[in-house]
Amino acid sequence: MSIRFDLSYANIDSSEFESRYQQLAQANDDLNNKTGVGNDFLGWVDYPIKYDQDEFVRIKEAAEKIKERCDALVVIGIGGSYLGAKAVITALTSPFYNEEPRAVRKAPKIYFAGQNISGKYLEKLLALLADQEVCVNVISKSGTTTEPAIAFRFFKQFLEDKYGKAGAQERIFVTTDAARGALKFMADEEGYETFVIPDDIGGRYSVYTAVGLLPIAAAGIDIDALMDGGKSGYEEYNKPEFEKNPCFQYALYRNVLYNRSKNIEILVDYDPSLEYLAEWWKQLFGESDGKDGKGLFPASAHFSTDLHSLGQMIQDGPKNHFETVIVIEADQSDLKVFRDEKNLEGLNYLTGWEIDAVNEKAFMGTLLAHVDGGVPNGIIRLKKLDAFHIGKLIYFFEKACGLNGYLLGVNPFDQPGVEAYKKNMFALLHKPGYEDLTAELEERL
């Protein structure tokens, strides 16, 4: 299998899984048949085999236009509207992608906006792009989400000032609702090319839609291979045999440890390329699990870097957590340690060792230390880091997340808690309709 889940260091007895098989099978049926709670947002389940082929072609055509027209693409969105694309692009391009010459990249630089409300961030990005050829992909279901709406207002003006209305029209690509919402209305009025966010797919499950695919394709990544990985995940992770289904194993592993009061899961990687995959994973599980006082808190750590900061807490702190480690089995580089005659740092014993092999031993040493310290570890073994395997890993996590939500007894496809901060923010900004709450909050502050 191209993705395996290794339970050798999880300290879980097989009986703990067996007692949950029936519940897991029901959860799987509810997902596949789209009969479970939240079933109006289950379009992602079979999307890798049912996606709109015509729009997929248009996505690739638009990506080519972006490559031809611009030095930089600005992707405007927040949460699921940007994290999936950023995760895949970060995983599959150079760590220094934007700094590389165009001849090496063969695609525009990729910048993100609308994922925060920092005036400094927006101001500096606009200044950076002043003398570059720029395209924008704005992603929002409604068009009224505060963070991306502010950023798009500025970038729309930026492009119109730079290229005129007609020129801006050719450089703005909109991913939004098929028929309604402020952004859809604006796109139709201005004549922007548009792509669809399906009604039955929530943002954090939308990587395979135009939400993720257009920026990913514009970065020069093979989205056919990405979708093939998603299709492979769909086919493999619907098999009912627990022993042959790593996705089932991962879902139950989380559930077993949660019921042992291990209420924090730390997703660990040993490759900086996976940093934003962890950020996407945190949103996926955080928004899906955290309901009704239930759920695992999703955290992440990047080793060996964080072994010098979080390592002490993980090793010797409260034992309320477990680790899930992503291991890339194929070497990413053949760079080797070379001999130095002075050997002042004492590294000559590593002469001839590949850096990736040293990294692997760091993983093994850490694994054994943390397990000895009472921290269960599960290992996701990814055969290699490419578009197919990342595509499959995305489906692996999405399916496990849906299963885990049903095992917890929550709706993993809504996010009512996210609205609380928005309501308060609107009131404090004196948005019309929030007057009564404004007075209450200002008194409290």
Side-chain angles (χ1 to χ4, degrees), residues 47 249 411:
Y47 194 81
Q249 294 163 11
N411 179 356

Side-chain angles (χ1 to χ4, degrees), residues 143-211:
T144 59
T145 303
T146 306
E147 295 89 339
I150 289 174
F152 183 52
R153 177 171 289 196
F154 277 88
F155 270 99
K156 180 175 182 292
Q157 187 65 55
F158 171 88
L159 292 178
E160 289 178 354
D161 289 346
K162 191 175 178 69
Y163 302 108
K165 293 276 288 187
Q169 178 191 28
E170 296 179 346
R171 292 171 176 272
I172 294 174
F173 300 83
V174 173
T175 308
T176 189
D177 190 89
R180 58 188 181 274
L183 186 55
K184 173 61 176 172
F185 177 82
M186 182 193 297
D188 289 346
E189 188 175 59
E190 300 283 356
Y192 303 143
E193 184 168 3
T194 61
F195 300 91
V196 174
I197 302 174
D199 287 335
D200 57 356
I201 299 180
R204 57 193 181 273
Y205 292 87
S206 66
V207 186
Y208 299 120
T209 72
V211 171

Side-chain angles (χ1 to χ4, degrees), residues 71 243 417:
D71 302 315
E243 295 79 8

Side-chain angles (χ1 to χ4, degrees), residues 2-309:
S2 50
I3 299 176
R4 295 180 292 122
F5 189 58
D6 184 349
L7 285 157
S8 305
Y9 304 92
N11 191 27
I12 296 175
D13 188 87
S14 60
S15 62
E16 294 179 271
F17 287 137
E18 292 164 3
S19 64
R20 291 169 168 80
Y21 281 172
Q22 186 172 352
Q23 188 183 3
L24 179 72
Q26 183 62 57
N28 189 52
D29 287 345
D30 287 341
L31 283 178
N32 289 343
N33 299 325
K34 302 184 181 180
T35 54
V37 63
N39 56 18
D40 48 342
F41 283 98
L42 286 175
W44 60 271
V45 172
D46 52 8
Y47 194 81
I49 62 167
K50 291 187 175 179
Y51 62 92
D52 185 331
Q53 297 282 349
D54 291 336
E55 183 172 70
F56 190 77
V57 171
R58 283 204 307 115
I59 288 169
K60 291 196 285 188
E61 290 173 346
E64 290 305 312
K65 293 176 190 175
I66 291 168
K67 291 178 187 177
E68 291 169 6
R69 292 174 185 168
C70 69
D71 302 315
L73 170 67
V74 180
V75 181
I76 299 176
I78 194 167
S81 294
Y82 93 101
L83 277 172
K86 190 166 178 65
V88 174
I89 292 168
T90 303
L92 300 180
T93 61
S94 163
F96 312 105
Y97 175 83
N98 278 355
E99 285 74 40
E100 291 179 330
R102 180 63 182 254
V104 175
R105 280 186 280 110
K106 296 183 172 56
K109 291 174 277 191
I110 310 292
Y111 295 98
F112 293 86
Q115 80 280 35
N116 57 55
I117 321 178
S118 167
K120 178 181 177 182
Y121 182 98
L122 187 57
E123 185 176 43
K124 294 297 183 183
L125 181 56
L126 287 163
L128 176 70
L129 297 173
D131 297 324
Q132 300 185 48
E133 298 297 318
V134 179
C135 290
V136 167
N137 175 208
V138 57
I139 306 164
S140 176
K141 185 75 170 171
S142 65
T144 59
T145 303
T146 306
E147 295 89 339
I150 289 174
F152 183 52
R153 177 171 289 196
F154 277 88
F155 270 99
K156 180 175 182 292
Q157 187 65 55
F158 171 88
L159 292 178
E160 289 178 354
D161 289 346
K162 191 175 178 69
Y163 302 108
K165 293 276 288 187
Q169 178 191 28
E170 296 179 346
R171 292 171 176 272
I172 294 174
F173 300 83
V174 173
T175 308
T176 189
D177 190 89
R180 58 188 181 274
L183 186 55
K184 173 61 176 172
F185 177 82
M186 182 193 297
D188 289 346
E189 188 175 59
E190 300 283 356
Y192 303 143
E193 184 168 3
T194 61
F195 300 91
V196 174
I197 302 174
D199 287 335
D200 57 356
I201 299 180
R204 57 193 181 273
Y205 292 87
S206 66
V207 186
Y208 299 120
T209 72
V211 171
L213 293 182
L214 181 54
I216 291 167
I221 293 167
D222 184 352
I223 60 172
D224 287 290
L226 189 83
M227 294 304 292
D228 286 345
K231 179 181 178 183
S232 178
Y234 170 80
E235 293 169 347
E236 185 174 328
Y237 304 142
N238 285 314
K239 294 177 180 177
E241 302 92 344
F242 178 80
E243 295 79 8
K244 297 180 181 179
N245 192 322
C247 182
F248 282 12
Q249 294 163 11
Y250 176 57
L252 283 192
Y253 150 87
R254 298 182 88 245
N255 187 258
V256 167
L257 293 174
Y258 173 74
N259 281 283
R260 285 194 204 165
S261 298
K262 303 283 189 182
N263 52 24
I264 300 171
E265 179 180 12
I266 306 172
L267 187 71
V268 172
D269 63 71
Y270 283 78
D271 190 316
S273 297
L274 299 179
E275 177 183 359
Y276 271 89
L277 182 76
E279 294 302 308
W280 169 79
W281 172 89
K282 285 191 287 189
Q283 188 206 0
L284 177 68
F285 281 94
E287 278 195 344
S288 299
D289 281 7
K291 317 279 169 66
D292 307 325
K294 302 176 182 178
L296 282 158
F297 186 89
S300 61
H302 310 293
F303 293 167
S304 64
T305 302
D306 288 339
L307 289 173
H308 295 257
S309 56

